[in-house]
Amino acid sequence: MSTIDMLFYEKEIWEQSYRSIAGVDEVGRGCLFGDVVAAAVILPVGLMIDGVDDSKKLTAKKRESLFEIIMEQALAVGVGYVDSSVIDEINIKQASRLAMKKAVEGLSHTPDYMLIDAEKVDLPLPQRAIIKGDANSQSIAAASIVAKVTRDRLCAGLWEELYPNYGIAIHKGYATKQHRQQITVLGPSDMHRRSFLGNILSEQQTLF
């Protein structure tokens, strides 16, 4: 079994004398509810954190423990949020890019290079988009973990409190059967992405 060198892209960039690499990723792109959340993480040159991988491959418990290590070891972490009304206005692709830009702008110091999960960030910095970056670059994987844990905590905490009848804490805003049923019965909340709900809302109208 070949193991992926999670620092392959970072090493290439360090060799070009860049020192401050921000990994950038987002989470929540496919959700029906809530913000799309992005993170940018700058890790020290040469640091390898054992177990860091694409957040989707990790258990919630593992993500939480890695989140703490990343927050402790990172030189800088930024998080960006774009809410459902803006997602509806500019579309989810542009909203994801905007969240990424906000995350990088939220860093305590400006990176000199960005590694991004399959996207372009609208900032005048050297950057590279990597397909499946969260499974191939430690910096991007670290950003995916920070974004995922941040968003999941909102789902289980504040968002669940604000909209207790939709099961947000359980399905995190994704289009599960339970979630679609609740939207059909209750109608969408203020935090639902109207542009994502076409079929569900037309089902709702046939019910009543």
Side-chain angles (χ1 to χ4, degrees):
M1 186 182 127
S2 67
T3 54
I4 294 167
D5 178 4
M6 291 292 279
L7 289 178
F8 175 81
Y9 293 101
E10 284 84 346
K11 285 172 188 166
E12 275 193 348
I13 296 161
W14 291 328
E15 279 166 16
Q16 296 167 42
S17 300
Y18 293 106
R19 281 291 166 265
S20 184
I21 301 171
V24 189
D25 199 5
E26 53 68 38
V27 69
R29 191 179 274 229
C31 296
L32 303 178
F33 172 99
D35 300 10
V36 61
V37 177
V41 176
I42 301 173
L43 294 170
V45 173
L47 176 72
M48 189 80 208
I49 301 175
D50 192 40
V52 167
D53 201 347
D54 171 4
S55 64
K56 295 183 288 296
K57 295 181 185 171
L58 304 169
T59 63
K61 192 177 175 187
K62 184 70 175 164
R63 279 196 301 267
E64 285 279 349
S65 68
L66 284 168
F67 175 87
E68 300 302 335
I69 295 166
I70 292 161
M71 296 304 282
E72 208 174 88
Q73 301 278 337
L75 301 175
V77 175
V79 180
Y81 308 85
V82 174
D83 69 26
S84 54
S85 64
V86 177
I87 293 167
D88 286 341
E89 197 180 309
I90 66 174
N91 81 42
I92 187 60
K93 185 177 176 62
Q94 296 308 321
S96 298
R97 285 182 166 186
L98 179 57
M100 288 175 167
K101 182 182 179 184
K102 287 181 170 190
V104 176
E105 288 173 337
L107 291 164
S108 55
H109 64 269
T110 306
D112 48 26
Y113 202 101
M114 297 186 294
L115 287 173
I116 307 150
D117 188 35
E119 264 302 354
K120 183 170 173 21
V121 173
D122 183 20
L123 287 168
L125 293 167
Q127 57 187 276
R128 182 168 180 178
I130 300 169
I131 304 297
K132 295 194 174 153
D134 48 9
N136 291 288
S137 154
Q138 176 178 255
S139 303
I140 298 174
S144 85
I145 290 166
V146 171
K148 175 76 174 144
V149 171
T150 300
R151 193 177 189 284
D152 283 358
R153 286 178 178 180
L154 280 168
C155 287
L158 179 64
W159 295 349
E160 175 68 24
E161 282 170 35
L162 288 172
Y163 302 102
N165 300 318
Y166 291 93
I168 304 299
I170 300 159
H171 53 63
K172 312 293 190 280
Y174 286 93
T176 61
K177 188 179 177 188
Q178 176 211 8
H179 190 192
R180 293 197 312 271
Q181 280 174 341
Q182 290 306 93
I183 295 166
T184 309
V185 173
L186 301 168
S189 74
D190 291 344
M191 284 185 66
H192 278 93
R193 303 173 186 176
R194 304 285 167 146
S195 53
F196 283 44
L197 299 180
N199 295 340
I200 298 167
L201 295 181
S202 58
E203 276 171 39
Q204 186 190 24
Q205 276 144 18
T206 59
L207 278 183
F208 300 106

